[in-house]
Amino acid sequence: REKAPKMKRLLITIDGSANDATSLKSALALARRLSAQLSVVYTALPAEAFYGYAETTAPVVFDNSEEAAAAAERARAAYDSVCADWPGAAWSTTDELSGDAIARLGPLADLVVMERLSQEEGPSAAGFNAALFDGAGPVYITPPEPLPTIATNPVIAWNGSREASLAVKSAMPLLQLAGRATVLTSEDESSGSVRALKQYLDAYNLPMTVQGFSAGQLTARGRARALLKAAEGLSADLLVMGGYGENAMSALFGLGRATRKIVTAARMPVLLHH
């Protein structure tokens, strides 16, 4: 079987929140699956917080050192409890915002791991955008709870776009571990892009099965929900798909702005590439 380049270095940022341990468990399970290194970067809270008020031009400085110290302690405890037994895990700290750290470090990681977003705005969303658009590689979204398996039954959301093609190429190390893939597509099996995908997977001796997907006249978010439901119906433990920006002209199955819906609602790992 032809071998794809391996994923040897994974990157995840944590912030001292209650979700750190859960995110790290999923990231570590992926690192074990790939026999990869896991770089864990704690993005430290500032010891001083600056706030400005409308009635004054002078900033008001609040001492944030106690909360910053507590967050650092929580983050390190989560790392020690989850990653202590994995020799490929490494810890570091930065004063950068998560998005800035990902933009700097992401290009030298084979995969940036992000926890599933709980909201579409704020620092987490900024970090996701940095990973997808500035990281120069694929992004892996962890599920809300670690699954017992990873990439034993992968599903590819396919529309023939550049983004979907890059996602498939990026996912090859995981697809090869699975030894197969199911393709969800609105295109006919005889279409040129589906044939091209089959030829690509055949080069790696990876059999694929094709399942039709149609969401009719649903809204973008409705179509995203339909895609997730279809993947869950196949018992997928990995969804591979193109990642599309809010202003992108192309769209997965015509979903338009659905990428954010996918990464806030998926109950399985999602690997995206922009």
Side-chain angles (χ1 to χ4, degrees):
R1 174 176 290 180
E2 187 70 22
K3 293 295 184 181
K6 294 182 178 180
M7 291 182 182
K8 298 302 296 182
R9 186 168 177 80
L10 313 182
L11 169 70
I12 185 172
T13 61
I14 59 175
D15 59 6
S17 69
N19 297 329
D20 282 353
T22 300
S23 301
L24 287 173
K25 287 176 183 177
S26 289
L28 181 62
L30 180 63
R32 290 181 182 276
R33 180 83 163 121
L34 292 165
S35 298
Q37 298 174 359
L38 178 62
S39 176
V40 180
V41 179
Y42 169 58
T43 55
L45 292 177
E48 292 181 334
F50 293 79
Y51 296 90
Y53 292 96
E55 63 271 17
T56 177
T57 58
V60 179
V61 181
F62 290 90
D63 183 359
N64 197 46
S65 57
E66 186 174 338
E67 174 54 29
E73 185 176 347
R74 289 193 300 267
R76 183 67 203 207
Y79 173 84
D80 289 341
S81 66
V82 175
C83 300
D85 295 332
W86 185 243
W91 164 273
S92 63
T93 300
T94 180
D95 292 330
E96 297 170 291
L97 296 174
S98 176
D100 294 336
I102 290 169
R104 177 173 61 87
L105 299 170
L108 287 178
D110 295 314
L111 191 65
V112 176
V113 181
M114 301 286 298
E115 75 174 40
R116 194 184 78 170
L117 297 182
S118 59
Q119 55 189 8
E120 296 184 11
E121 303 294 339
S124 296
F128 168 74
N129 285 338
L132 188 62
F133 301 114
D134 300 328
V139 178
Y140 180 92
I141 307 299
T142 65
E145 293 293 336
L147 298 185
T149 60
I150 297 175
T152 62
N153 186 27
V155 167
I156 299 169
W158 181 253
N159 67 346
S161 68
R162 166 191 172 276
E163 290 86 352
S165 299
L166 288 174
V168 171
K169 289 177 67 176
S170 296
M172 281 305 297
L174 287 166
L175 296 177
Q176 286 193 308
L177 288 173
R180 62 192 176 101
T182 301
V183 177
L184 274 174
T185 182
S186 59
E187 299 184 12
D188 186 88
E189 283 193 54
S190 63
S191 74
S193 74
V194 175
R195 289 200 308 271
L197 175 61
K198 185 178 186 306
Q199 290 169 352
Y200 180 74
L201 295 180
D202 281 347
Y204 290 93
N205 296 314
L206 286 177
M208 79 178 202
T209 57
V210 178
Q211 180 159 318
F213 173 86
S214 176
Q217 301 301 312
L218 295 176
T219 64
R221 288 177 178 271
R223 292 177 186 177
R225 286 191 290 267
L227 172 61
L228 291 175
K229 183 177 180 180
E232 290 171 0
L234 294 168
S235 300
D237 55 6
L238 177 67
L239 176 62
V240 178
M241 57 176 281
Y244 304 90
E246 190 154 348
N247 296 319
M249 296 301 294
S250 58
L252 176 67
F253 303 136
L255 294 181
R257 300 178 178 182
T259 299
R260 287 196 176 195
K261 178 61 181 177
I262 295 289
V263 300
T264 56
R267 290 183 286 187
M268 69 201 71
V270 181
L271 187 146
L272 308 102
H273 201 302
H274 175 66

